[in-house]
Amino acid sequence: MSEISDRYRRCADAFERKVANVAPDHWSDQSPCEDWKARDVVGHIIMMHGAMLGPLDRQLSPAPSLDDDPLGAYRSARVDIEAVLDEPELAASQCDTPAGRIRVEQHIDSVLTTDLVLHGWDLARATGQDDTIDPDEVERIWPTAQIIPDEMRTPGAFRPGLVVFGPAVEVPDDAPLQHRMLAMFGRDPR
């Protein structure tokens, strides 16, 4: 397995544990993402798994419904991405993305793996779980958090109704790195 594949699996495992630990009566709890409940966070992650398959002319396999079985729906999407990462030639092939032409595995790493980390925090925060992010992931994501272009903070810049990142949140300069990173992505870590 590649470093990217290993990282995806670690982050996917962490997200899966959070999904598995959501109590049945907490799926409607509000997440830090203004328009999303806990179930919506998982739905977004599943949708992003499908988005990674689009440039490959693939789509998500039939899966349990998000409403009936969030964990099963997520696990199914995960299998589809792992199948891509497990094919070295496919993972190393080029695909067209909003960021330009890059390797498939790079696209998965920069978008999906990062989403698993950030939205794992959202899901944990929404459902009263430990929201500590792996410090290695915080270090990996921090440089990207510091250079988010303004257009990615503009609602509808990529398509109507889509908000990629909210406005940066003010936190003290000496706040923990996790807090500073989350604040750059528009989340209030407090």
Side-chain angles (χ1 to χ4, degrees):
M1 274 189 267
S2 73
E3 179 182 338
I4 288 173
S5 179
D6 287 344
R7 182 170 33 251
Y8 168 81
R9 282 177 166 81
R10 281 193 312 275
C11 293
D13 285 346
F15 189 84
E16 184 170 319
R17 282 189 297 276
K18 289 175 179 72
V19 175
N21 287 324
V22 175
D25 59 337
H26 286 272
W27 283 110
S28 295
D29 289 0
Q30 181 61 49
S31 85
C33 300
E34 185 177 303
D35 297 332
W36 292 350
K37 305 293 185 192
R39 187 182 310 275
D40 300 320
V41 173
V42 179
H44 171 76
I45 287 294
I46 292 168
M47 183 272 301
M48 290 305 295
H49 277 69
M52 296 298 102
L53 298 173
L56 304 174
D57 293 324
R58 293 184 178 196
Q59 56 187 319
L60 293 172
S61 300
S65 90
L66 176 64
D67 289 334
D68 295 336
D69 184 2
L71 182 58
Y74 168 70
R75 284 177 172 162
S76 179
R78 222 189 129 166
V79 166
D80 291 334
I81 291 298
E82 288 173 352
V84 170
L85 293 171
D86 287 345
E87 289 183 46
E89 192 171 300
L90 179 60
S93 68
Q94 298 282 311
C95 68
D96 293 316
T97 74
R101 192 157 177 78
I102 60 175
R103 287 191 337 264
V104 168
E105 66 181 357
Q106 286 177 304
H107 190 215
I108 290 169
D109 194 42
S110 64
V111 176
L112 185 56
T113 303
T114 299
D115 253 18
L116 286 165
V117 173
L118 295 173
H119 292 303
W121 182 86
D122 295 331
L123 185 60
R125 185 54 71 100
T127 59
Q129 299 182 53
D130 180 3
D131 63 8
T132 304
I133 298 173
D134 178 329
D136 290 339
E137 287 305 308
V138 173
E139 289 282 343
R140 178 182 71 85
I141 296 170
W142 176 238
T144 300
Q146 296 176 78
I147 57 168
I148 296 172
D150 288 339
E151 64 267 13
M152 293 188 84
R153 296 187 189 282
T154 305
F158 291 95
R159 72 171 188 246
L162 179 65
V163 176
V164 179
F165 302 113
V169 173
E170 292 290 325
V171 294
D173 290 340
D174 63 349
L177 187 57
Q178 175 175 313
H179 290 193
R180 289 182 282 146
M181 180 201 69
L182 289 165
M184 293 302 289
F185 282 106
R187 288 157 171 82
D188 188 342
R190 296 165 288 220

